[in-house]
Amino acid sequence: MRQAGRYLPEFRETRAAQDFFSTCRSPEACCELTLQPLRRFPLDAAIIFSDILVVPQALGMEVTMVPGKGPSFPEPLREERDLERLRDPATVASELGYVFQAITLTRQRLAGRVPLIGFAGAPWTLMTYMVEGGSSSTMAQAKRWLYQRPQASHQLLRILTDALVPYLVGQVAAGAQALQLFESHAGHLGPQLFNKFALPYIRDVAKRVKARLQESGLAPVPMIIFAKDGHFALEELAQAGYEVVGLDWTVAPEKARERVGKTVTLQGNLDPCALYASEEEIGRLVQQMLNDFGPQRYIANLGHGLYPDMDPEHVGAFVDAVHRYSRLLRQN
């Protein structure tokens, strides 16, 4: 899900040299961090090293990464009039040229070994950080906006959508061969709020990115939507214009398949904490997962990102087990 990460000693070594967002702004550093997991593990794709919060930064908000705490916005959006501080979303792609350079450099270095995946955060998830000023267990301030300032909320979500479309198209133009949209905070919304404030923008991103790629003469790329804890919206997500729906570990694969139908690809969904288990147990859990999903229209993955204290050997055991059991499944 997030390949380059704090669980790799070589990642920590590379990252120690500069602060987080300086690393994000260095195409050479991003390329190196993207390639590190591939040197260790026979992964089937690479995910560009970046962060979803480069978009609010490009809109003019200050974001810092506080060690041990996570992202922090010293001046979050508090009032409706704060939206006037945001830059024109049309300028965002030009602010994020460093991401495009990192993608192009990484594509060149990969030399066709595996495809390269680009990504962005979905509008609602980005809004939560911009309003909360960082991580939150309840998203109460962001949800307060939805209930007290629905019009301003829609205005902000539109600004974010308008920024995301050229950003994602720019990633493809730079060399990304698939795109993943992360609605990491879907679970804080029930079905009603999700259908009103998240889903329309998720749909809009896919529709407009695909149209823009076509207008630009660029080949279409598969798009993946991952809505963490958004199990209440699986059917809607399957019809939102994405080729792949990512699942977290709280969803039973067979039930998910029943609900989304046969035409959409599913991705997921091993509990990342399963990597704390023994290598034998990881093998057993992977076998069960692959049996549950079946061999068609399926990308094996974790159900969320890896944690810093995970043993790289166990990540390797997961990757090897996926390849081993996939071959067995196909033979049978």
Side-chain angles (χ1 to χ4, degrees):
M1 185 66 81
R2 286 194 299 266
Q3 291 176 349
R6 299 159 295 177
Y7 70 99
L8 287 178
E10 57 268 39
F11 174 94
R12 292 194 291 270
E13 207 174 299
T14 307
R15 275 276 298 106
Q18 51 189 353
D19 79 86
F20 182 81
F21 285 110
S22 300
T23 305
C24 288
R25 281 190 285 273
S26 161
E28 191 61 54
C30 290
C31 177
E32 169 59 21
L33 290 168
T34 301
L35 296 175
Q36 282 177 354
L38 290 155
R39 293 189 195 118
R40 251 188 207 256
F41 313 116
L43 294 155
D44 300 307
I47 303 171
I48 195 67
F49 177 81
S50 186
D51 194 87
I52 65 170
L53 298 180
V54 298
V55 170
Q57 275 184 335
L59 284 166
M61 293 192 79
E62 189 191 339
V63 191
T64 57
M65 197 59 81
V66 181
K69 182 187 166 216
S72 173
F73 288 68
E75 292 183 47
L77 303 175
R78 285 283 175 247
E79 304 291 332
E80 203 162 325
R81 64 172 180 267
D82 291 340
L83 296 181
E84 292 161 23
R85 296 195 335 238
L86 300 177
R87 286 192 194 122
D88 177 357
T91 65
V92 163
S94 58
E95 292 283 328
L96 294 172
Y98 59 85
V99 178
F100 307 149
Q101 287 165 15
I103 287 172
T104 302
L105 182 63
T106 307
R107 259 305 287 279
Q108 288 164 351
R109 301 253 171 100
L110 282 169
R113 263 193 308 158
V114 293
L116 179 61
I117 302 173
F119 70 90
W124 157 248
T125 293
L126 294 177
M127 173 180 169
T128 61
Y129 283 106
M130 293 161 79
V131 172
E132 295 287 343
S135 303
S136 158
S137 57
T138 61
M139 301 297 159
Q141 294 310 311
K143 289 174 77 176
R144 168 184 252 174
W145 269 60
L146 303 184
Y147 284 112
Q148 291 186 352
R149 305 187 181 103
Q151 292 321 111
S153 297
H154 280 300
Q155 190 188 341
L156 175 54
L157 293 161
R158 274 195 300 272
I159 289 168
L160 287 163
T161 304
D162 290 346
L164 285 167
V165 172
Y167 177 49
L168 288 166
V169 171
Q171 291 189 39
V172 176
Q177 291 153 291
L179 296 170
Q180 179 151 258
L181 195 70
F182 285 93
E183 189 68 280
S184 309
H185 298 159
H188 291 276
L189 302 173
Q192 284 166 319
L193 285 181
F194 185 83
N195 288 340
K196 196 169 169 189
F197 292 102
L199 187 63
Y201 300 99
I202 288 171
R203 282 193 186 123
D204 208 28
V205 167
K207 190 169 112 190
R208 288 170 58 188
V209 165
K210 289 176 177 190
R212 189 79 69 90
L213 288 174
Q214 202 171 3
E215 288 159 20
S216 311
L218 292 163
V221 298
M223 293 181 71
I224 307 163
I225 177 68
F226 175 70
K228 173 88 169 47
D229 295 316
H231 40 78
F232 50 80
L234 272 187
E235 291 86 349
E236 290 80 2
L237 290 165
Q239 290 166 23
Y242 294 77
E243 285 70 30
V244 184
V245 175
L247 303 176
D248 62 47
W249 66 93
T250 63
V251 182
E254 314 95 306
K255 294 225 171 71
R257 177 51 77 198
E258 276 169 33
R259 288 173 60 191
V260 304
K262 291 193 166 73
T263 54
V264 110
T265 294
L266 291 173
Q267 171 175 275
N269 74 337
L270 191 72
D271 179 358
C273 290
L275 298 190
Y276 293 128
S278 69
E279 294 187 20
E280 296 73 31
E281 176 71 359
I282 290 168
R284 201 186 61 71
L285 292 166
V286 165
Q287 187 173 12
Q288 178 70 57
M289 176 176 81
L290 267 57
N291 283 333
D292 289 348
F293 276 102
Q296 299 301 314
R297 292 196 182 277
Y298 169 53
I299 302 166
N301 207 329
L302 298 174
H304 203 221
L306 292 155
Y307 305 137
D309 61 352
M310 286 180 166
D311 183 346
E313 295 293 316
H314 287 217
V315 178
F318 168 72
V319 175
D320 291 342
V322 168
H323 288 146
R324 197 164 62 247
Y325 291 118
S326 291
R327 281 193 291 271
L328 282 172
L329 262 182
R330 283 202 302 274
Q331 282 162 13
N332 300 338

